[in-house]
Amino acid sequence: MKKTTLLFACLLFGVLPPLQAATPASAPASVADEYTRGEIRKIDLPAGKVTLKHEQIRSLGMDPMTMAFLMKDPTVLGRFQVGDKVRFRAIYQGGRYIVTDLEPVR
Ligand SMILES: [Cu+2]
């Protein structure tokens, strides 16, 4: 994780929503709406955490790596097992990386 790109991402998150609201509805989806592919390496149900080996996350300016995320909705983890291929969306909020959407990839 590069500190400069993360800071840039934080600034974007803080600044972009009002700007996006002013753009036409036909504007292409932002990178924040893109799913990232990954594979589940560890599930920690009590902590509500999932460790993912993930591809590049453009919305967070993050290179491919294996790392732990908090789950916005930890109950979702009950549907997954280690080794599952997934696609997900994540945000950086309150100093933590949080998975907001997690779906299986068949
Ligand atoms: Cu990462």
XYZ file of all heavy atoms in Angstrom:
823
model
N 0.841 -1.194 0.000
C 0.000 0.000 0.000
C 0.876 1.244 0.000
O 1.712 1.407 0.887
C -0.882 0.009 1.252
C -2.003 -0.990 1.165
S -2.875 -1.138 2.726
C -1.959 -2.450 3.508
N 0.702 2.083 -0.969
C 1.506 3.288 -1.052
C 0.783 4.420 -0.330
O -0.375 4.704 -0.605
C 1.741 3.664 -2.515
C 2.498 2.593 -3.293
C 2.798 3.078 -4.701
C 3.323 1.970 -5.583
N 2.279 1.355 -6.392
N 1.486 5.078 0.578
C 0.839 6.109 1.396
C 0.321 7.260 0.542
O -0.744 7.789 0.794
C 1.838 6.642 2.426
C 2.014 5.698 3.612
C 2.228 6.473 4.877
C 2.121 5.603 6.128
N 3.359 5.028 6.569
N 1.092 7.650 -0.485
C 0.680 8.814 -1.273
C -0.599 8.511 -2.046
O -1.511 9.332 -2.078
C 1.787 9.213 -2.261
O 2.235 8.045 -2.932
C 2.952 9.859 -1.542
N -0.672 7.311 -2.633
C -1.864 6.975 -3.415
C -3.057 6.811 -2.493
O -4.176 7.159 -2.850
C -1.639 5.693 -4.237
O -1.099 4.708 -3.402
C -0.741 5.948 -5.403
N -2.829 6.283 -1.284
C -3.936 6.129 -0.341
C -4.463 7.487 0.069
O -5.668 7.697 0.170
C -3.476 5.351 0.899
C -3.281 3.856 0.671
C -2.805 3.186 1.935
C -4.574 3.214 0.197
N -3.545 8.406 0.322
C -3.964 9.757 0.697
C -4.770 10.357 -0.446
O -5.827 10.965 -0.230
C -2.735 10.622 0.997
C -3.023 12.087 1.336
C -3.869 12.175 2.596
C -1.727 12.860 1.518
N -4.282 10.141 -1.646
C -4.986 10.645 -2.822
C -6.381 10.036 -2.903
O -7.354 10.738 -3.154
C -4.177 10.300 -4.073
C -4.743 10.889 -5.332
C -4.935 12.257 -5.438
C -5.088 10.083 -6.396
C -5.462 12.814 -6.592
C -5.611 10.624 -7.554
C -5.805 11.986 -7.651
N -6.477 8.736 -2.633
C -7.775 8.067 -2.673
C -8.707 8.682 -1.631
O -9.884 8.913 -1.886
C -7.607 6.574 -2.421
N -8.180 8.943 -0.425
C -8.991 9.542 0.638
C -9.500 10.906 0.194
O -10.665 11.242 0.404
C -8.188 9.698 1.915
S -7.869 8.145 2.751
N -8.636 11.674 -0.428
C -9.033 12.999 -0.883
C -10.131 12.873 -1.930
O -11.112 13.609 -1.914
C -7.828 13.752 -1.461
C -6.786 14.183 -0.431
C -5.556 14.745 -1.129
C -7.367 15.234 0.517
N -9.953 11.914 -2.839
C -10.958 11.705 -3.874
C -12.297 11.356 -3.254
O -13.331 11.894 -3.614
C -10.520 10.576 -4.812
C -9.495 10.944 -5.870
C -9.146 9.715 -6.693
C -10.024 12.037 -6.768
N -12.255 10.448 -2.253
C -13.494 10.009 -1.624
C -14.190 11.184 -0.950
O -15.402 11.267 -0.923
C -13.202 8.903 -0.600
C -13.174 7.545 -1.206
C -12.330 7.273 -2.268
C -13.989 6.533 -0.748
C -12.299 6.022 -2.849
C -13.972 5.288 -1.321
C -13.131 5.031 -2.369
N -13.376 12.086 -0.402
C -13.970 13.213 0.282
C -14.512 14.256 -0.674
O -15.470 14.943 -0.352
N -13.906 14.336 -1.853
C -14.229 15.438 -2.761
C -15.189 15.023 -3.877
O -16.023 15.801 -4.301
C -12.922 15.984 -3.390
C -13.223 16.928 -4.546
C -12.102 16.683 -2.322
N -15.075 13.771 -4.332
C -15.799 13.381 -5.538
C -17.327 13.304 -5.447
O -17.986 13.698 -6.391
C -15.257 12.051 -6.062
C -14.028 12.188 -6.960
C -13.634 10.828 -7.512
C -14.291 13.146 -8.111
N -17.898 12.802 -4.343
C -19.354 12.608 -4.364
C -20.155 13.826 -4.834
O -20.992 13.686 -5.724
C -19.664 12.229 -2.928
C -18.421 11.554 -2.472
C -17.284 12.283 -3.149
N -19.886 15.032 -4.311
C -20.674 16.161 -4.792
C -20.438 16.455 -6.265
O -21.368 16.815 -6.974
C -20.194 17.338 -3.928
C -19.126 16.838 -3.059
C -18.984 15.372 -3.227
N -19.179 16.254 -6.720
C -18.882 16.480 -8.131
C -19.615 15.470 -8.998
O -20.170 15.815 -10.029
C -17.369 16.379 -8.379
C -16.515 17.494 -7.777
C -15.043 17.230 -8.061
C -16.928 18.844 -8.359
N -19.617 14.207 -8.554
C -20.286 13.166 -9.326
C -21.774 13.450 -9.440
O -22.381 13.195 -10.464
C -20.079 11.800 -8.664
C -18.686 11.233 -8.918
C -18.492 9.897 -8.242
O -19.105 9.644 -7.216
N -17.644 9.063 -8.801
N -22.333 14.001 -8.369
C -23.768 14.266 -8.374
C -24.120 15.289 -9.451
O -25.243 15.317 -9.942
C -24.206 14.770 -7.013
N -23.116 16.107 -9.816
C -23.383 17.161 -10.786
C -23.158 16.693 -12.219
O -23.508 17.382 -13.155
C -22.492 18.363 -10.502
N -22.566 15.485 -12.389
C -22.289 14.992 -13.735
C -23.546 14.331 -14.308
O -24.410 13.869 -13.562
C -21.129 13.981 -13.741
O -21.464 12.904 -12.880
C -19.840 14.630 -13.271
N -23.633 14.274 -15.643
C -24.817 13.672 -16.264
C -24.987 12.211 -15.865
O -24.011 11.523 -15.578
C -24.516 13.780 -17.763
C -23.455 14.809 -17.889
C -22.667 14.773 -16.616
N -26.212 11.731 -15.892
C -26.494 10.353 -15.503
C -25.841 9.366 -16.461
O -25.623 8.221 -16.123
C -27.998 10.111 -15.464
N -25.503 9.816 -17.673
C -24.919 8.925 -18.664
C -23.416 8.751 -18.467
O -22.790 8.000 -19.185
C -25.175 9.466 -20.068
O -24.613 10.763 -20.195
N -22.833 9.442 -17.471
C -21.397 9.330 -17.228
C -21.045 7.891 -16.872
O -21.829 7.199 -16.227
C -20.978 10.256 -16.096
N -19.857 7.419 -17.297
C -19.458 6.048 -16.982
C -19.305 5.848 -15.479
O -19.006 6.788 -14.743
C -18.101 5.906 -17.685
C -17.632 7.297 -17.936
C -18.855 8.145 -18.059
N -19.528 4.613 -15.030
C -19.403 4.301 -13.604
C -17.984 4.596 -13.138
O -17.024 4.385 -13.863
C -19.736 2.833 -13.364
N -17.841 5.102 -11.946
C -16.518 5.405 -11.409
C -15.811 4.120 -11.006
O -16.435 3.072 -10.860
C -16.631 6.321 -10.196
O -17.037 5.582 -9.069
N -14.493 4.207 -10.822
C -13.744 3.013 -10.432
C -14.207 2.492 -9.085
O -14.026 1.327 -8.766
C -12.225 3.291 -10.392
C -11.698 3.570 -11.776
C -11.894 4.408 -9.433
N -14.831 3.357 -8.269
C -15.323 2.924 -6.960
C -16.430 1.893 -7.100
O -16.704 1.137 -6.178
C -15.803 4.119 -6.158
N -17.070 1.857 -8.267
C -18.158 0.909 -8.491
C -17.664 -0.425 -9.036
O -18.439 -1.362 -9.165
C -19.172 1.500 -9.484
C -19.873 2.701 -8.896
O -20.091 2.707 -7.672
O -20.199 3.628 -9.650
N -16.372 -0.509 -9.367
C -15.840 -1.723 -9.964
C -15.591 -2.802 -8.923
O -15.145 -2.511 -7.821
C -14.518 -1.417 -10.675
C -14.682 -0.577 -11.909
C -13.341 -0.314 -12.571
O -12.327 -0.880 -12.130
O -13.321 0.477 -13.523
N -15.863 -4.033 -9.321
C -15.522 -5.164 -8.459
C -14.075 -5.575 -8.696
O -13.561 -5.437 -9.799
C -16.432 -6.350 -8.768
C -17.772 -6.287 -8.085
C -18.819 -5.557 -8.629
C -17.976 -6.958 -6.887
C -20.053 -5.508 -8.002
C -19.199 -6.913 -6.245
C -20.235 -6.191 -6.803
O -21.441 -6.144 -6.171
N -13.447 -6.073 -7.650
C -12.097 -6.610 -7.732
C -12.167 -8.108 -7.482
O -12.922 -8.571 -6.630
C -11.195 -5.965 -6.656
O -11.171 -4.560 -6.856
C -9.784 -6.524 -6.730
N -11.391 -8.871 -8.253
C -11.381 -10.319 -8.064
C -10.369 -10.726 -7.000
O -9.342 -10.078 -6.822
C -11.043 -11.030 -9.382
C -12.226 -11.068 -10.328
C -11.847 -11.703 -11.648
N -13.046 -11.847 -12.478
C -13.718 -12.986 -12.614
N -13.306 -14.070 -12.002
N -14.791 -13.050 -13.372
N -10.698 -11.794 -6.302
C -9.794 -12.273 -5.269
C -10.108 -13.702 -4.881
O -10.993 -14.332 -5.459
N -9.332 -14.187 -3.903
C -9.541 -15.538 -3.388
C -9.464 -15.476 -1.873
O -8.586 -14.808 -1.311
C -8.454 -16.463 -3.939
C -8.612 -17.905 -3.498
C -7.478 -18.784 -4.035
O -7.088 -18.621 -5.203
O -6.973 -19.610 -3.261
N -10.390 -16.165 -1.214
C -10.425 -16.137 0.253
C -9.297 -16.999 0.816
O -9.179 -18.177 0.466
C -11.794 -16.610 0.770
C -12.867 -15.594 0.362
C -11.750 -16.779 2.296
C -14.260 -15.932 0.849
N -8.485 -16.410 1.662
C -7.359 -17.121 2.278
C -7.619 -17.439 3.746
O -7.054 -18.369 4.298
C -6.076 -16.286 2.140
C -5.537 -16.251 0.735
C -5.265 -17.682 0.288
N -4.927 -17.807 -1.114
C -3.691 -17.720 -1.578
N -2.707 -17.464 -0.755
N -3.470 -17.878 -2.845
N -8.476 -16.634 4.400
C -8.764 -16.866 5.818
C -10.078 -16.186 6.163
O -10.380 -15.101 5.647
C -7.632 -16.284 6.680
C -7.758 -16.578 8.167
C -6.599 -15.920 8.930
C -6.829 -15.987 10.433
N -5.830 -15.218 11.192
N -10.854 -16.840 7.007
C -12.108 -16.255 7.490
C -12.071 -16.230 9.009
O -11.840 -17.251 9.652
C -13.329 -17.061 7.005
C -13.456 -16.967 5.483
C -14.605 -16.563 7.678
C -14.568 -17.827 4.906
N -12.270 -15.049 9.582
C -12.318 -14.890 11.037
C -13.707 -14.378 11.401
O -13.954 -13.172 11.446
C -11.233 -13.904 11.486
C -11.143 -13.807 13.004
O -12.112 -14.199 13.691
O -10.102 -13.335 13.503
N -14.614 -15.326 11.626
C -16.010 -14.954 11.896
C -16.155 -14.103 13.154
O -16.842 -13.073 13.119
C -16.875 -16.217 12.001
C -17.355 -16.811 10.675
C -18.124 -18.105 10.924
C -18.244 -15.822 9.933
N -15.535 -14.489 14.288
C -15.706 -13.677 15.504
C -15.263 -12.227 15.320
O -15.877 -11.309 15.866
C -14.828 -14.396 16.547
C -14.725 -15.799 16.054
C -14.730 -15.695 14.550
N -14.196 -12.026 14.552
C -13.681 -10.671 14.345
C -14.358 -9.981 13.167
O -14.170 -8.786 12.953
C -12.167 -10.714 14.135
N -15.120 -10.742 12.381
C -15.761 -10.172 11.205
C -14.763 -9.776 10.142
O -14.938 -8.777 9.442
N -13.673 -10.584 10.044
C -12.619 -10.256 9.089
C -12.450 -11.351 8.059
O -12.689 -12.528 8.334
C -11.274 -10.072 9.816
C -11.159 -8.793 10.607
C -9.771 -8.721 11.227
C -9.591 -7.462 12.040
N -8.300 -7.449 12.742
N -12.025 -10.946 6.874
C -11.707 -11.898 5.824
C -10.363 -11.513 5.217
O -10.088 -10.332 4.993
C -12.814 -11.921 4.742
C -12.957 -10.568 4.055
C -12.544 -13.014 3.721
N -9.502 -12.518 5.010
C -8.231 -12.268 4.346
C -8.371 -12.675 2.890
O -8.753 -13.801 2.588
C -7.093 -13.063 5.017
O -7.009 -12.664 6.387
C -5.765 -12.793 4.323
N -8.076 -11.724 2.008
C -8.232 -11.950 0.577
C -6.914 -11.766 -0.149
O -6.178 -10.807 0.120
C -9.235 -10.944 -0.012
C -10.665 -11.012 0.489
C -11.453 -9.804 -0.007
C -11.338 -12.290 0.027
N -6.623 -12.699 -1.058
C -5.556 -12.478 -2.037
C -6.244 -11.763 -3.182
O -7.083 -12.354 -3.873
C -4.969 -13.812 -2.499
C -3.841 -13.652 -3.507
C -3.393 -14.994 -4.043
C -2.277 -14.785 -5.063
N -1.990 -16.030 -5.795
N -5.930 -10.478 -3.358
C -6.711 -9.710 -4.317
C -5.876 -9.156 -5.458
O -4.678 -8.951 -5.334
C -7.457 -8.568 -3.602
C -6.564 -7.475 -3.054
N -5.956 -6.547 -3.847
C -6.206 -7.179 -1.779
C -5.258 -5.711 -3.088
N -5.385 -6.078 -1.825
N -6.569 -8.894 -6.577
C -5.946 -8.220 -7.704
C -5.870 -6.723 -7.390
O -6.276 -6.281 -6.327
C -6.770 -8.481 -8.977
C -6.779 -9.958 -9.369
C -7.574 -10.217 -10.635
O -8.265 -9.300 -11.109
O -7.488 -11.348 -11.153
N -5.367 -5.962 -8.338
C -5.272 -4.513 -8.148
C -6.648 -3.923 -7.829
O -7.641 -4.269 -8.457
C -4.730 -3.874 -9.429
C -4.564 -2.367 -9.331
C -4.260 -1.732 -10.678
O -4.849 -2.095 -11.691
N -3.345 -0.794 -10.686
N -6.695 -3.047 -6.815
C -7.940 -2.348 -6.482
C -7.771 -0.904 -6.922
O -7.125 -0.093 -6.249
C -8.245 -2.404 -4.968
C -8.223 -3.842 -4.471
C -9.607 -1.757 -4.684
C -8.432 -3.970 -2.966
N -8.337 -0.597 -8.084
C -8.097 0.731 -8.659
C -8.665 1.848 -7.796
O -8.068 2.913 -7.666
C -8.703 0.786 -10.067
C -7.960 -0.103 -11.048
C -7.971 0.468 -12.441
N -9.314 0.527 -13.007
C -9.652 1.337 -13.999
N -8.749 2.155 -14.516
N -10.862 1.329 -14.481
N -9.835 1.605 -7.189
C -10.478 2.664 -6.406
C -9.671 3.010 -5.158
O -9.800 4.107 -4.619
C -11.893 2.240 -6.009
O -11.854 1.096 -5.181
N -8.825 2.087 -4.696
C -8.009 2.337 -3.505
C -6.543 2.563 -3.867
O -5.715 2.770 -2.979
C -8.120 1.153 -2.530
C -9.517 0.878 -1.972
C -9.498 -0.354 -1.075
C -10.038 2.076 -1.184
N -6.219 2.516 -5.159
C -4.839 2.684 -5.579
C -3.934 1.626 -4.979
O -2.801 1.905 -4.600
N -4.451 0.389 -4.893
C -3.722 -0.676 -4.209
C -3.291 -1.752 -5.182
O -4.085 -2.203 -6.008
C -4.624 -1.289 -3.133
C -3.893 -2.156 -2.149
S -5.042 -2.928 -1.009
C -5.495 -1.542 0.014
N -2.026 -2.133 -5.087
C -1.500 -3.200 -5.926
C -1.993 -4.560 -5.428
O -2.490 -4.661 -4.316
C 0.027 -3.165 -5.916
C 0.583 -1.956 -6.647
O -0.103 -1.460 -7.562
O 1.681 -1.510 -6.300
N -1.823 -5.601 -6.257
C -2.226 -6.955 -5.825
C -1.470 -7.378 -4.570
O -0.275 -7.108 -4.436
C -1.830 -7.839 -7.012
C -1.791 -6.919 -8.184
C -1.334 -5.587 -7.640
N -2.167 -8.015 -3.655
C -1.536 -8.488 -2.411
C -2.513 -9.388 -1.661
O -3.660 -9.544 -2.066
C -1.164 -7.295 -1.530
C -2.381 -6.595 -0.952
S -1.976 -5.196 0.088
C -1.588 -3.975 -1.150
N -2.044 -9.928 -0.557
C -2.917 -10.661 0.358
C -3.026 -9.861 1.643
O -2.009 -9.473 2.221
C -2.344 -12.067 0.655
O -2.242 -12.788 -0.569
C -3.241 -12.820 1.619
N -4.248 -9.574 2.061
C -4.443 -8.729 3.247
C -5.804 -9.001 3.870
O -6.688 -9.592 3.253
C -4.359 -7.255 2.852
C -5.448 -6.853 1.866
S -5.381 -5.126 1.380
C -6.105 -4.329 2.813
N -5.960 -8.547 5.114
C -7.214 -8.728 5.837
C -8.101 -7.500 5.671
O -7.618 -6.365 5.650
C -6.936 -8.976 7.309
N -9.378 -7.749 5.522
C -10.387 -6.688 5.458
C -11.412 -6.914 6.559
O -11.709 -8.056 6.911
C -11.145 -6.731 4.129
C -10.342 -6.392 2.916
C -9.615 -7.380 2.265
C -10.329 -5.113 2.403
C -8.887 -7.090 1.120
C -9.609 -4.806 1.253
C -8.885 -5.801 0.621
N -11.989 -5.821 7.044
C -13.179 -5.933 7.878
C -14.378 -6.119 6.952
O -14.393 -5.599 5.841
C -13.386 -4.645 8.678
C -12.793 -4.543 10.073
C -13.181 -3.196 10.662
C -13.279 -5.662 10.966
N -15.381 -6.838 7.413
C -16.613 -6.979 6.649
C -17.638 -5.979 7.143
O -17.885 -5.868 8.343
C -17.186 -8.393 6.808
C -16.386 -9.471 6.126
S -16.327 -9.295 4.323
C -18.074 -9.474 3.906
N -18.250 -5.260 6.212
C -19.328 -4.350 6.598
C -20.468 -5.164 7.215
O -21.051 -4.770 8.217
C -19.816 -3.581 5.359
C -20.876 -2.542 5.669
C -21.336 -1.861 4.384
C -22.440 -0.855 4.679
N -23.025 -0.321 3.431
N -20.764 -6.310 6.598
C -21.781 -7.224 7.127
C -21.137 -8.594 7.347
O -21.058 -9.402 6.430
C -22.951 -7.340 6.149
C -23.992 -8.335 6.627
O -23.870 -8.851 7.759
O -24.939 -8.600 5.862
N -20.638 -8.868 8.569
C -19.898 -10.104 8.838
C -20.723 -11.368 8.610
O -20.159 -12.434 8.350
C -19.531 -9.980 10.331
C -19.613 -8.515 10.632
C -20.709 -7.987 9.753
N -22.049 -11.288 8.665
C -22.869 -12.495 8.497
C -22.709 -13.084 7.101
O -22.929 -14.277 6.895
C -24.361 -12.195 8.744
O -24.826 -11.266 7.755
C -24.558 -11.603 10.129
N -22.300 -12.253 6.143
C -22.088 -12.708 4.767
C -21.021 -13.808 4.720
O -21.071 -14.715 3.887
C -21.665 -11.519 3.871
C -21.194 -11.986 2.512
C -22.821 -10.535 3.734
N -20.061 -13.738 5.646
C -18.939 -14.684 5.637
C -19.393 -16.122 5.846
O -18.692 -17.056 5.460
C -17.921 -14.300 6.726
C -17.142 -13.016 6.460
C -16.243 -12.703 7.648
C -16.319 -13.145 5.186
N -20.565 -16.305 6.437
C -21.077 -17.652 6.668
C -21.339 -18.421 5.387
O -21.450 -19.641 5.404
N -21.410 -17.708 4.263
C -21.699 -18.360 2.983
C -20.430 -18.727 2.223
O -20.497 -19.228 1.102
C -22.545 -17.424 2.100
C -23.801 -16.908 2.778
C -24.827 -16.470 1.745
N -24.386 -15.362 0.922
C -24.761 -14.086 1.141
N -25.550 -13.788 2.153
N -24.346 -13.133 0.353
N -19.256 -18.446 2.812
C -18.002 -18.658 2.081
C -17.058 -19.589 2.834
O -17.176 -19.781 4.041
C -17.305 -17.313 1.853
C -18.058 -16.399 0.928
C -18.972 -15.494 1.434
C -17.856 -16.458 -0.442
C -19.675 -14.650 0.589
C -18.554 -15.622 -1.297
C -19.462 -14.718 -0.784
N -16.115 -20.158 2.066
C -15.081 -21.012 2.628
C -13.720 -20.562 2.108
O -13.637 -19.928 1.043
C -15.292 -22.472 2.198
C -16.549 -23.102 2.767
C -16.654 -24.563 2.364
O -16.142 -24.968 1.318
N -17.317 -25.354 3.192
N -12.675 -20.913 2.863
C -11.315 -20.643 2.413
C -11.101 -21.331 1.063
O -11.487 -22.478 0.876
C -10.282 -21.153 3.449
C -8.866 -21.085 2.883
C -10.386 -20.330 4.731
N -10.518 -20.603 0.128
C -10.270 -21.133 -1.213
C -11.283 -20.666 -2.235
O -11.063 -20.812 -3.432
N -12.405 -20.118 -1.762
C -13.430 -19.633 -2.689
C -12.899 -18.472 -3.523
O -12.234 -17.571 -3.020
C -14.673 -19.147 -1.921
C -15.542 -20.285 -1.432
O -15.235 -21.452 -1.761
O -16.523 -20.005 -0.711
N -13.232 -18.511 -4.815
C -12.942 -17.372 -5.693
C -14.098 -16.377 -5.551
O -15.271 -16.762 -5.582
C -12.849 -17.838 -7.151
C -11.746 -18.883 -7.378
C -10.451 -18.219 -7.728
C -9.459 -19.194 -8.341
N -8.988 -20.224 -7.387
N -13.747 -15.113 -5.394
C -14.772 -14.104 -5.142
C -14.499 -12.840 -5.955
O -13.423 -12.667 -6.546
C -14.800 -13.717 -3.638
C -15.219 -14.901 -2.784
C -13.457 -13.161 -3.180
N -15.504 -11.976 -5.969
C -15.291 -10.611 -6.413
C -15.873 -9.732 -5.320
O -16.837 -10.111 -4.634
C -15.918 -10.342 -7.781
C -17.422 -10.527 -7.843
C -17.957 -10.213 -9.218
N -19.375 -9.838 -9.112
C -19.970 -8.948 -9.906
N -19.298 -8.362 -10.866
N -21.232 -8.651 -9.738
N -15.257 -8.557 -5.134
C -15.660 -7.738 -3.986
C -15.443 -6.262 -4.275
O -14.748 -5.876 -5.214
C -14.869 -8.148 -2.736
C -13.408 -7.832 -2.816
C -12.902 -6.684 -2.206
C -12.527 -8.653 -3.506
C -11.551 -6.377 -2.280
C -11.179 -8.348 -3.581
C -10.691 -7.211 -2.978
N -16.071 -5.464 -3.432
C -15.806 -4.034 -3.431
C -15.389 -3.642 -2.024
O -15.922 -4.161 -1.050
C -17.048 -3.239 -3.851
C -17.332 -3.357 -5.324
C -18.339 -2.344 -5.798
N -19.674 -2.665 -5.335
C -20.769 -2.451 -6.072
N -20.665 -1.928 -7.265
N -21.944 -2.741 -5.594
N -14.420 -2.725 -1.933
C -13.918 -2.313 -0.624
C -13.758 -0.797 -0.577
O -13.550 -0.149 -1.600
C -12.582 -2.989 -0.329
N -13.867 -0.278 0.634
C -13.654 1.153 0.850
C -12.626 1.333 1.965
O -12.333 0.387 2.703
C -14.963 1.875 1.248
C -15.547 1.238 2.512
C -15.965 1.830 0.099
C -16.720 2.014 3.089
N -12.067 2.535 2.044
C -11.158 2.886 3.137
C -11.886 3.909 3.992
O -12.204 5.004 3.530
C -9.862 3.462 2.571
C -8.825 3.772 3.618
C -8.191 2.746 4.309
C -8.475 5.088 3.906
C -7.235 3.020 5.267
C -7.510 5.372 4.860
C -6.892 4.333 5.531
O -5.935 4.617 6.479
N -12.171 3.522 5.236
C -12.989 4.388 6.083
C -12.540 4.255 7.532
O -12.368 3.141 8.037
C -14.461 3.948 5.961
C -15.470 4.929 6.510
C -16.889 4.479 6.209
O -17.401 3.570 6.835
N -17.522 5.116 5.231
N -12.328 5.382 8.178
C -11.914 5.361 9.582
C -10.597 4.640 9.795
O -10.373 4.036 10.844
N -9.704 4.717 8.785
C -8.400 4.080 8.920
C -8.433 2.579 8.705
O -7.456 1.894 9.001
N -9.566 2.058 8.204
C -9.668 0.612 7.992
C -10.190 0.320 6.592
O -10.944 1.104 6.024
C -10.629 -0.001 9.025
C -10.150 0.183 10.448
C -11.172 -0.345 11.426
N -12.478 0.287 11.248
C -13.521 0.051 12.043
N -13.409 -0.795 13.041
N -14.669 0.656 11.826
N -9.753 -0.840 6.079
C -10.276 -1.294 4.799
C -11.489 -2.186 5.056
O -11.414 -3.145 5.817
C -9.204 -2.052 4.018
C -8.104 -1.134 3.564
C -6.926 -1.008 4.292
C -8.280 -0.354 2.431
C -5.937 -0.133 3.892
C -7.286 0.519 2.020
C -6.126 0.628 2.756
O -5.146 1.499 2.346
N -12.598 -1.845 4.431
C -13.860 -2.528 4.705
C -14.459 -3.059 3.413
O -14.636 -2.310 2.444
C -14.857 -1.558 5.376
C -14.255 -0.989 6.659
C -16.182 -2.262 5.654
C -15.050 0.161 7.250
N -14.755 -4.360 3.403
C -15.439 -4.961 2.256
C -16.927 -4.674 2.384
O -17.561 -5.026 3.388
C -15.186 -6.484 2.196
C -16.107 -7.137 1.167
C -13.730 -6.766 1.843
N -17.472 -4.029 1.355
C -18.889 -3.666 1.386
C -19.743 -4.661 0.604
O -20.939 -4.789 0.872
C -19.098 -2.263 0.787
O -18.577 -2.237 -0.530
C -18.398 -1.216 1.635
N -19.141 -5.329 -0.375
C -19.856 -6.322 -1.177
C -18.929 -7.497 -1.440
O -17.776 -7.291 -1.804
C -20.295 -5.729 -2.525
C -21.171 -4.508 -2.357
O -22.377 -4.685 -2.210
O -20.624 -3.390 -2.361
N -19.444 -8.707 -1.252
C -18.644 -9.913 -1.491
C -19.533 -10.941 -2.184
O -20.596 -11.290 -1.681
C -18.133 -10.460 -0.154
C -17.176 -11.646 -0.200
C -15.877 -11.278 -0.896
C -16.881 -12.153 1.212
N -19.081 -11.388 -3.361
C -19.881 -12.334 -4.141
C -19.008 -13.483 -4.620
O -17.847 -13.279 -4.960
C -20.478 -11.642 -5.380
C -21.425 -10.510 -5.045
C -21.945 -9.838 -6.304
O -21.528 -10.240 -7.412
O -22.765 -8.919 -6.164
N -19.577 -14.690 -4.685
C -18.813 -15.824 -5.231
C -18.637 -15.673 -6.734
O -19.479 -15.082 -7.407
C -19.686 -17.038 -4.890
C -21.064 -16.503 -4.732
C -20.926 -15.077 -4.258
N -17.529 -16.205 -7.246
C -17.288 -16.273 -8.695
C -17.191 -17.734 -9.063
O -16.335 -18.450 -8.545
C -15.990 -15.536 -9.086
C -15.691 -15.748 -10.561
C -16.106 -14.063 -8.773
N -18.090 -18.185 -9.910
C -18.119 -19.605 -10.294
C -17.345 -19.825 -11.562
O -17.388 -18.990 -12.449
C -19.558 -20.086 -10.489
C -20.441 -19.872 -9.283
C -19.973 -20.715 -8.112
N -20.780 -20.439 -6.902
C -20.344 -20.653 -5.665
N -19.131 -21.123 -5.464
N -21.114 -20.406 -4.642
Cu -4.501 -4.819 -0.388
